[in-house]
Amino acid sequence: MAGEELDLLLSGKGWPVPEEYDAGPPPPLQPARLRRNTCYVVMAVLLNEKNEVLVMQEAKLECHGTWYLPAGRMEPGETIVEAMQREVKEETGLQCQPLTLLAVEERGTAWLRFIFLARPTGGTLKTLQDADEESLQARWWDRKSPTLPLRARDIVPFMDLALQYQAKPCHPLTLPAELPCAVICQRLLAVFTDSSGAPWVLLGAARSPHLPVVVSGMSPPALGGGLLVATYQLLQECLPPPGGQVQVRGLLGLQHLGKEPGQSDGICFNIVVTIGDAGQCSKEKPPELQSKAFRWWKVEEEDVRSRVLQRLSTSSFVPLHS
């Protein structure tokens, strides 16, 4: 079971979120409620054949006349991709097709931003004659001339990342898997690599063996904490002190559907972490676990093993910015 789950996640697909979780706040769990206890923001970087970036001019009073990437808040009932496509159409006039997630930003469970690389597929570029409350106009920009006043410079690294990805992709094309989830949670691919180079994966031992799933708290005190607080707590409880070095490597993907507002607004992040000191490990086995609720699985199936090691060696993951 765990082998099939891992195979699908490595392929950029999803796996159903279980009804029972391996760690998180005590029940009853509070579901994620878009626009009530959490906010999802989408952003898109579109490039043309000249590697110019699609930007839009803000109409909002507080940033009127400045320029930004097409972006905005998700609405209840949308998928993440649908929200991105809607924002691009409203703010620039263009239709688009997502190519891949470029990055995810988090400020705890209260605010999450999903940045896409996308390509235009139709529509007409918005001009000043089309100005409305969404935007004044849109244009392709080479980032040099003319000098545009930006609403904020936080978009610059994502423009850079899009150009880098187009020149040399740093991870496979990755889009959200459309699977429902009621809470904001993380499914962990926690890997220890032994002295022979073999990967060992942490599994939840309750029920059938599976990759552990931890739930983030949605209570007001928890909302401002980092998204990965529950992940670090689980690993702290599992691993012997000092627990070795735990490094978050990035995302294999994420899962969201959102078609039942209030019941499926949650997101499952499929996160990769490595356990152990950097460099060549001198240990033949992973550290002994402190909880019987978990166990180690030595990955011996050659195809899955080589794919895990290849992704780790090349850091081939969607970046998660905290």
Side-chain angles (χ1 to χ4, degrees), residues 146-204:
T147 301
L148 298 180
L150 300 181
R151 177 181 128 190
R153 293 196 60 80
D154 64 336
I155 61 174
V156 173
F158 299 126
M159 295 179 182
D160 293 337
L161 189 59
L163 289 165
Q164 291 165 12
Y165 189 95
Q166 182 158 281
K168 185 178 180 180
C170 52
H171 57 77
L173 296 173
T174 304
L175 293 173
E178 294 189 358
L179 290 171
C181 184
V183 296
I184 295 178
C185 62
Q186 301 101 56
R187 176 185 280 114
L188 305 184
L189 174 56
V191 183
F192 172 89
T193 305
D194 68 22
S195 57
S196 70
W200 298 67
V201 171
L202 184 70
L203 296 182

Side-chain angles (χ1 to χ4, degrees), residues 186-190 201-202 210-214 228 230-232 234-235 269-273:
Q186 301 101 56
R187 176 185 280 114
L188 305 184
L189 174 56
V201 171
L202 184 70
H210 60 277
L211 298 180
V213 176
V214 298
L228 302 179
T231 291
Y232 286 120
L234 179 141
L235 294 173
F269 294 92
N270 297 321
I271 291 180
V272 180
V273 302

Side-chain angles (χ1 to χ4, degrees), residues 16-184:
V17 176
E19 293 183 3
E20 298 178 31
Y21 308 107
D22 297 283
L29 291 175
Q30 188 176 353
R33 301 292 299 273
L34 199 58
R35 294 294 186 100
R36 294 193 182 183
N37 59 9
T38 188
C39 173
Y40 302 156
V41 177
V42 290
M43 176 180 282
V45 185
L46 279 76
L47 304 172
N48 64 12
E49 65 281 355
K50 300 177 183 178
N51 278 343
E52 295 171 323
V53 182
L54 181 65
V55 291
M56 48 75 68
Q57 192 174 32
E58 296 282 9
K60 294 189 286 288
L61 183 62
E62 62 271 20
C63 51
H64 191 274
T66 60
W67 294 81
Y68 206 63
L69 290 172
R73 296 182 181 184
M74 276 181 61
E75 300 289 348
E78 290 183 310
T79 68
I80 300 175
V81 166
E82 287 171 347
M84 182 274 293
Q85 292 173 317
R86 173 183 54 77
E87 289 291 347
V88 171
K89 183 68 169 66
E90 289 176 350
E91 296 186 345
T92 73
L94 298 186
Q95 298 160 345
C96 72
Q97 184 68 30
L99 298 174
T100 186
L101 270 168
L102 278 178
V104 175
E105 275 190 303
E106 61 99 355
R107 299 175 191 167
T109 54
W111 188 91
L112 296 158
R113 182 158 69 172
F114 306 92
I115 301 94
F116 287 88
L117 175 64
R119 64 179 179 87
T121 57
T124 303
L125 199 63
K126 196 171 193 176
T127 66
L128 284 171
Q129 287 69 41
D130 307 312
D132 56 22
E133 62 182 9
E134 299 294 341
S135 66
L136 299 178
Q137 61 178 321
R139 63 170 295 154
W140 293 102
W141 184 43
D142 66 5
R143 302 174 61 189
K144 295 177 182 177
S145 177
T147 301
L148 298 180
L150 300 181
R151 177 181 128 190
R153 293 196 60 80
D154 64 336
I155 61 174
V156 173
F158 299 126
M159 295 179 182
D160 293 337
L161 189 59
L163 289 165
Q164 291 165 12
Y165 189 95
Q166 182 158 281
K168 185 178 180 180
C170 52
H171 57 77
L173 296 173
T174 304
L175 293 173
E178 294 189 358
L179 290 171
C181 184
V183 296
I184 295 178

Side-chain angles (χ1 to χ4, degrees), residues 218-292:
M218 300 301 295
S219 63
L223 287 174
L227 177 69
L228 302 179
V229 167
T231 291
Y232 286 120
Q233 286 176 341
L234 179 141
L235 294 173
Q236 242 179 3
E237 293 168 7
C238 276
L239 300 172
Q245 182 179 353
V246 174
Q247 182 183 3
V248 176
R249 304 294 297 275
L251 301 174
L252 287 173
L254 57 88
Q255 304 171 196
H256 170 268
L257 188 57
K259 291 302 182 182
E260 298 179 47
Q263 299 180 49
S264 60
D265 289 343
I267 296 179
C268 178
F269 294 92
N270 297 321
I271 291 180
V272 180
V273 302
T274 50
I275 297 166
D277 298 328
Q280 181 65 36
C281 178
S282 60
K283 298 178 181 178
E284 295 181 1
K285 291 185 177 181
E288 185 175 347
L289 298 173
Q290 305 299 292
S291 170
K292 293 183 179 179

